[in-house]
Amino acid sequence: MKIMSFAIAAGLAVASFTTTASAADITGAGATFPFPVYSKWAEAYKKETGNGMNYQSIGSGGGIKQIQAKTVDFGATDAPMKGEDLEKNGLLQFPTVMGAVVPVVNIQGIQPGQIKLTGQVLADIFQGKILKWNDPKIAQLNAGVNLPNANITPVYRSDSSGTTSVFTTYLSQVSSAWKSELGAGTTVNWPVGQGGKGNEGVAATVKQVPNSIGYVEYAYAKQNNIPHTLIQNQAGKYPQPEMKSFQAAAANANWTSAPGFGISLTNQPGDDAWPITNPTFILVYKTAEKPEQTAEVLKFFDWSFKNGDKLASDLDYVPLPDNVVEQIRATWAKEIKTSAGQPVYKM
């Protein structure tokens, strides 16, 4: 699957910045999860401002590597970096939106939301412990659904992936066997199935392989018309993946409980909570070697926070609460500086 990217203009001064350089192209790379909303934001930003932005949708692991190598102006990851790693690398991390991971299937005659799975059954499928769609453990959850006597093909991310980190974090929370045998991470030793690169690659593979199941960010399921399954949440309910259930999962989030706002929203309480919800994050250097470029990055996301909520909601991402956005801006003002110690962003 080829790398997804967009070359879009970026850069209106929507806040006060130390540098007043002329319009400059900015570059970013990383998570495929937020690619649809970053693309829409950048398209709208171009129409209003006219500056250039290029983002490569290569996976969270690649985004972290590229920002560490200083080959891009910002990195993007769904799996938040830990506080000690942020400190060691001199990086600042902040969230942009929240979204959700959904299981997607390719089963003849099955419609979106028609199949119900528990977290344990989902883990057993991806561990190769449940091999056929008409297995009794699936059948008892889906009375009246015509499940085929067909082998299941799990489809997973072949690249280092924040989406995988979110998905396997959830599976580790609901399955002790998964936690002890495979665990959570941007890559795991998948025992069965076949891989696809990026959310794009998993979506494409599921569409091509009959009786397969994969996991993607919800926008990819919706845009590609791939049926999703329902998942039993912590309250024992089966909510639809939609704005209401994503917001419910984030309702009690304590954003200051982890360095770099790096919280997890998987397996949250609440009748309406979608169980695999997560924020996605941006990485920039605290000491800006190229302050003009860093200023342009912050201008883009500042504009997006002010003007991009509807574009995000239209794609079923959840905008950040206003108080969290204000915390992010305060963090920019306090911690991102030029090599001379001057703030790059001013409130």
Side-chain angles (χ1 to χ4, degrees), residues 216-264:
V216 296
E217 200 283 322
Y218 180 58
Y220 288 87
K222 191 172 182 179
Q223 291 176 1
N224 289 283
N225 296 313
I226 311 174
H228 63 269
T229 75
L230 302 184
I231 312 173
Q232 187 182 59
N233 64 17
Q234 192 183 124
K237 308 294 185 181
Y238 290 90
Q240 287 286 344
E242 58 187 359
M243 184 67 64
K244 175 184 175 182
S245 60
F246 306 157
Q247 289 174 328
N252 298 312
N254 180 4
W255 291 92
T256 60
S257 64
F261 303 91
I263 62 171
S264 171

Side-chain angles (χ1 to χ4, degrees), residues 69-186:
K70 301 183 179 180
T71 56
V72 292
D73 299 313
F74 68 90
T77 178
D78 301 325
M81 291 185 73
K82 295 180 180 179
E84 57 264 32
D85 293 325
L86 291 169
E87 192 67 29
K88 180 176 68 176
N89 289 280
L91 291 168
L92 181 140
Q93 174 177 271
F94 61 90
T96 53
V97 289
M98 296 171 284
V101 177
V102 298
V104 289
V105 297
N106 178 357
I107 306 171
Q108 187 173 1
I110 295 299
Q111 301 302 311
Q114 189 175 1
I115 288 182
K116 296 178 179 179
L117 300 173
T118 65
Q120 182 64 62
V121 166
L122 189 62
D124 286 349
I125 289 172
F126 277 88
Q127 273 194 282
K129 295 179 178 179
I130 293 178
L131 300 175
K132 289 184 178 289
W133 279 113
N134 64 349
D135 184 285
K137 289 183 179 179
I138 301 177
Q140 70 180 7
L141 298 170
N142 294 280
V145 178
N146 185 21
L147 296 167
N149 180 23
N151 291 330
I152 302 172
T153 300
V155 180
Y156 53 83
R157 287 285 291 273
S158 59
D159 53 331
S160 179
S161 158
T163 304
T164 293
S165 178
V166 173
F167 186 63
T168 56
T169 294
Y170 170 70
L171 295 183
S172 295
Q173 290 170 330
V174 296
S175 168
S176 58
W178 184 281
K179 182 177 181 179
S180 63
E181 295 171 25
L182 292 168
T186 54

Side-chain angles (χ1 to χ4, degrees), residues 12-20 295 298-299 302 306 332-333 343-347:
L12 172 69
V14 290
S16 174
F17 292 81
T18 295
T19 56
T20 56
L298 300 183
K299 287 175 188 177
D302 196 38
K306 290 181 177 178
W332 291 349
V344 172
Y345 177 92
K346 295 180 180 179
M347 296 288 286

Side-chain angles (χ1 to χ4, degrees), residues 287-289 291 337-342:
T287 301
E289 293 184 1
K337 301 182 183 300
T338 69
S339 57
Q342 297 298 311

